[in-house]
Amino acid sequence: ATCSNNKKHSESLHLVAIKAMATCNVSDNVIYSVTRKMNARKKAYCTYGRGPCFTRESGNLTQRDTQKTSGYLSKSVGIGQQKPGPGQPQIFTLVMKKRGKIRRPSQQRVDAKIVFGNRKKIKKQIEAQTKYRLYRGDLSKLAQRRIFQIQKIRCNYKKFLKKEAKYAQEDDDDDMDEDNGGGQSQEDLVEVD
């Protein structure tokens, strides 16, 4: 009976060891301080090392190289977009990480849908995913600001397209008037002596 108990005990210790290996053994501070200067995704766009450095990490809300918004942390928040179907509102996704999937990055990503609407509705959805679940509540305002900025850019772009279409239509009308002669024949415009 003791042999079977020892075998069960060793199997349970083995399972505990496997679970311990699946967790991150290094704190977020150490990861950030090590990768801070030698990061392949870090770009110093037009600052030549004297201004803010930007980064192309996934999961970084501000695209700035700061520890608060770094995408390498065990808990990070990012914004994604899904292509809407015809007649459907724009859908954003709040991209978060699963803690237990550190060794499998492809399974680590979790998307939470944020449906396009007024500011109050978006704010409520983001806070439900971050603050109320105790998952990086400090980044909820940054996520809101990023979504509102994307909305503003889209709205301005639609206005720009409408103006361009209006000017193109007016230009086509002017061309049509020139082709028709504007109601005058060319002979009337030329004086003959």
Side-chain angles (χ1 to χ4, degrees), residues 34-45 54-58 65 72:
V34 168
T35 61
R36 190 171 111 204
K37 292 189 179 180
M38 308 299 182
N39 188 346
R41 297 187 180 262
K42 183 176 172 182
K43 307 289 181 196
Y45 298 107
F54 297 97
T55 181
R56 299 292 297 161
E57 299 169 345
S58 62
D65 188 32
Y72 293 129

Side-chain angles (χ1 to χ4, degrees), residues 34-98:
V34 168
T35 61
R36 190 171 111 204
K37 292 189 179 180
M38 308 299 182
N39 188 346
R41 297 187 180 262
K42 183 176 172 182
K43 307 289 181 196
Y45 298 107
C46 303
T47 59
Y48 305 106
R50 281 185 267 148
C53 287
F54 297 97
T55 181
R56 299 292 297 161
E57 299 169 345
S58 62
N60 192 332
L61 283 173
T62 59
Q63 303 302 324
R64 284 255 173 116
D65 188 32
T66 61
Q67 186 173 3
K68 179 181 179 182
T69 61
S70 177
Y72 293 129
L73 301 180
S74 61
K75 289 184 176 182
S76 66
V77 176
I79 299 291
Q81 297 178 28
Q82 289 182 350
K83 189 173 183 179
Q88 292 181 346
Q90 181 64 38
I91 298 174
F92 293 101
T93 58
L94 205 60
V95 180
M96 298 174 284
K97 290 183 179 181
K98 287 183 188 176

Side-chain angles (χ1 to χ4, degrees), residues 2-52:
T2 59
C3 184
S4 64
N5 286 340
N6 287 338
K7 187 177 181 181
K8 288 180 184 177
H9 182 66
S10 66
E11 286 178 6
S12 64
L13 286 177
H14 181 67
L15 291 175
V16 169
I18 289 174
K19 286 182 181 180
M21 284 178 20
T23 60
C24 186
N25 296 333
V26 181
S27 72
D28 291 335
N29 295 333
V30 173
I31 291 173
Y32 181 75
S33 64
V34 168
T35 61
R36 190 171 111 204
K37 292 189 179 180
M38 308 299 182
N39 188 346
R41 297 187 180 262
K42 183 176 172 182
K43 307 289 181 196
Y45 298 107
C46 303
T47 59
Y48 305 106
R50 281 185 267 148

